[in-house]
Amino acid sequence: MALLPTTIRAQVTPTIASDEPELIEVDVETKVRRIAVPALVAPNAADTPAGNSATLGRQIAEVISANLRNSGLFEPQGPAGIRPITLEEVTAPQYDYWKGRNVEQLVEGFVRVGGDGNLTVGCYLYDVNFGQELTRLGFVVPPREWRRAAHKCADAIYSKLTGELPFFDSRIAYIAETGPKGKRVKRLAIMDSDGANHRFITNGQSTALTPRFSPNYKSILYLSYQDGNPRIYVYDIDSGRQRLITASKNPTFAPRWSPDGQTILYSMAVAGNTDVYKVSVNGGSPVKLTSAPGIDVGGSFSPDGKQIVFESDRGGSQQVYVMNADGSNQRRISHGGGRYATPEWSPRGDLIAYTRIAGDFRVGVMRPDGSGERLLTDSWQDEAPTWAPNGRVIQFFRTERNSGKTSVWQVDLTGRNERKLPTPVDGSDPAWGPVLP
């Protein structure tokens, strides 16, 4: 009996159903999938730097279960409250037993410690009603990266059962906030998509804002008041060094990466006028993309790098505009009531998220031509949306009335599955990175 999955791969990439940009409509009345996730089996349990492999088997199952539950599309059972499985059951499930628990799918697997000290994590997905295997995969990881194996397993299950791209094995940069209202200390921080492995990047001596992960995860682009003025820096995560993007004496802000990581989009205020610029990541002369009187603030590139969405008050109020990457063909796309800010293009290219300001601040989505506008949140102050790597979940930050306390939230495109992310302190300006390789 071969227990090692026949396919060892680092990433699952299901096909996308449609090539045409289209606002997804989700049947919010459809019942979520019931899925069982018993603890992974640990044959010949052994100690590792991250703990005993038997303990890791349960912890991996807990992360898989939490990932699926937090997607809003699954109702997991286990690992708590269900019986442990045997090694033989990993490839020969007891379907009748699981039918009796009224589940539709079953996740089983194992954790084995190799002679080199690394973990081999096997993950199997079964359809209980049809009594068949749907997918299997495995990963070899250092013990301290067991959570990544759990996220990859959850990603594979999510993709297989929904047809959507994965997003659990990814990271989030955000601004960690402490201190009283009006005198907040704002530090750059990063964490896994579920809030684990939290790490502060800056010490808070200078205010940090609007972080964005580079496409390769090696750097973070962000705004800092290090010298008392807003300037854009690139922080190298491995070395801990940072460098200034532009040496201009004018205030620069709202930095964004191009999809290939070779260009930085930003805004700069000169003589009372703010325009959108782009510059090579290696430096050089910036290229001015807008010139209309007023305030133009860069939003983000489309995933193919051919267009840019940005906000502008050139027409008398803050609205969303789209232009070609060279600055040509600038046109307004927002036409609802109120003002529009912080637009960001979906990684799939089908939607643009934004903040609508009409009394309250609410997060919404629209098609790139401005049609299909739909608000997803309904609180006092929700703003600054950022997309999950699969373009089907949005994070944003929420500010409490009166106290000024901030927190990071996420919501899917139904607008129903809204939840707060765990952070050790208050949080704002989230930025979701791509799926890890």
Side-chain angles (χ1 to χ4, degrees):
M1 178 175 60
L3 282 178
L4 184 64
T6 55
T7 301
I8 304 290
R9 49 185 171 174
Q11 195 167 332
V12 180
T13 310
T15 57
I16 299 174
S18 173
D19 294 327
E20 295 296 322
E22 184 173 348
L23 183 62
I24 188 170
E25 295 293 345
V26 181
D27 181 3
V28 296
E29 301 302 325
T30 300
K31 191 173 182 181
V32 295
R33 298 172 183 266
R34 298 180 301 276
I35 188 166
V37 190
L40 275 63
V41 181
N44 304 315
D47 291 332
T48 77
N52 187 273
S53 59
T55 302
L56 292 177
R58 172 169 288 275
Q59 290 175 325
I60 289 171
E62 288 171 348
V63 172
I64 293 170
S65 183
N67 281 170
L68 296 176
R69 180 180 296 105
N70 289 337
S71 76
L73 301 178
F74 298 89
E75 188 179 280
Q77 294 183 20
I82 60 176
R83 70 168 179 81
I85 61 172
T86 64
L87 186 60
E88 288 72 21
E89 287 180 73
V90 173
T91 53
Q94 295 186 8
Y95 290 115
D96 288 341
Y97 171 80
W98 297 109
K99 286 179 182 178
R101 292 197 64 95
N102 194 30
V103 297
E104 301 165 89
Q105 280 84 34
L106 169 66
V107 179
E108 296 189 333
F110 65 88
V111 182
R112 179 182 291 137
V113 182
D116 59 359
N118 287 330
L119 301 179
T120 297
V121 179
C123 180
Y124 297 71
L125 174 65
Y126 296 98
D127 186 293
V128 172
N129 294 326
F130 288 96
Q132 66 181 22
E133 179 184 303
L134 298 179
T135 190
R136 63 166 68 183
L137 69 163
F139 310 97
V140 178
V141 297
R144 296 196 184 281
E145 292 191 13
W146 64 267
R147 296 187 69 93
R148 285 208 58 204
H151 290 316
K152 286 294 186 190
C153 181
D155 273 333
I157 296 163
Y158 173 88
S159 294
K160 183 67 178 180
L161 296 179
T162 67
E164 296 287 353
L165 293 171
F167 70 98
F168 298 123
D169 189 29
S170 56
R171 290 180 181 148
I172 297 161
Y174 80 102
I175 300 303
E177 298 194 17
T178 55
K181 181 181 178 181
K183 196 177 181 181
R184 302 285 271 173
V185 175
K186 299 187 177 185
R187 292 183 287 173
L188 181 61
I190 60 175
M191 60 185 176
D192 292 351
S193 67
D194 60 355
N197 294 321
H198 188 278
R199 176 183 168 193
F200 292 108
I201 298 296
T202 59
N203 59 19
Q205 292 181 351
S206 301
T207 295
L209 296 170
T210 61
R212 286 297 184 273
F213 271 115
S214 62
N216 63 8
Y217 271 114
K218 292 183 179 180
S219 304
I220 297 177
L221 187 65
Y222 76 106
L223 178 70
S224 174
Y225 283 76
Q226 183 169 319
D227 59 357
N229 294 308
R231 298 285 185 270
I232 297 169
Y233 292 85
V234 171
Y235 179 92
D236 184 270
I237 295 174
D238 289 337
S239 69
R241 293 192 297 268
Q242 67 179 20
R243 60 185 175 87
L244 187 66
I245 288 300
T246 60
S248 173
K249 295 180 180 180
N250 296 300
T252 54
F253 49 94
R256 297 291 185 271
W257 296 97
S258 63
D260 62 5
Q262 298 303 304
T263 302
I264 292 173
L265 187 73
Y266 68 98
S267 297
M268 183 164 63
V270 180
N273 209 65
T274 300
D275 288 295
V276 179
Y277 296 75
K278 64 180 180 180
V279 68
S280 168
V281 70
N282 298 315
S285 299
V287 176
K288 186 178 180 182
L289 299 177
T290 65
S291 58
I295 300 173
D296 296 341
V297 178
S300 69
F301 283 93
S302 60
D304 61 7
K306 295 181 179 179
Q307 297 185 84
I308 294 169
V309 62
F310 65 104
E311 62 182 86
S312 175
D313 67 355
R314 64 183 64 183
S317 67
Q318 197 174 5
Q319 299 293 332
V320 175
Y321 289 73
V322 169
M323 63 181 168
N324 295 338
D326 63 0
S328 63
N329 193 25
Q330 298 180 19
R331 67 269 187 198
R332 175 177 166 177
I333 63 169
S334 60
H335 297 284
R339 295 178 289 133
Y340 291 74
T342 66
E344 183 163 303
W345 220 302
S346 163
R348 287 177 61 119
D350 56 347
L351 297 170
I352 291 171
Y354 57 87
T355 302
R356 195 186 76 163
I357 306 166
D360 295 339
F361 288 47
R362 300 177 65 182
V363 169
V365 292
M366 66 174 71
R367 294 188 182 97
D369 64 1
S371 64
E373 181 179 344
R374 186 155 53 92
L375 295 173
L376 303 180
T377 71
D378 187 15
S379 188
W380 176 64
Q381 191 164 320
D382 297 337
E383 58 186 306
T386 179
W387 289 94
N390 71 347
R392 288 298 172 254
V393 181
I394 291 173
Q395 284 182 357
F396 58 94
F397 78 93
R398 175 169 291 171
T399 304
E400 293 182 8
R401 193 191 299 266
N402 299 323
S403 72
K405 291 177 65 66
T406 57
S407 52
V408 178
W409 291 70
Q410 71 182 40
V411 64
D412 63 24
L413 290 182
T414 67
R416 301 290 181 91
N417 183 38
E418 185 179 279
R419 74 182 187 94
K420 181 180 178 180
L421 270 71
T423 55
V425 296
D426 292 355
S428 63
D429 282 345
W432 213 325
V435 169
L436 288 158

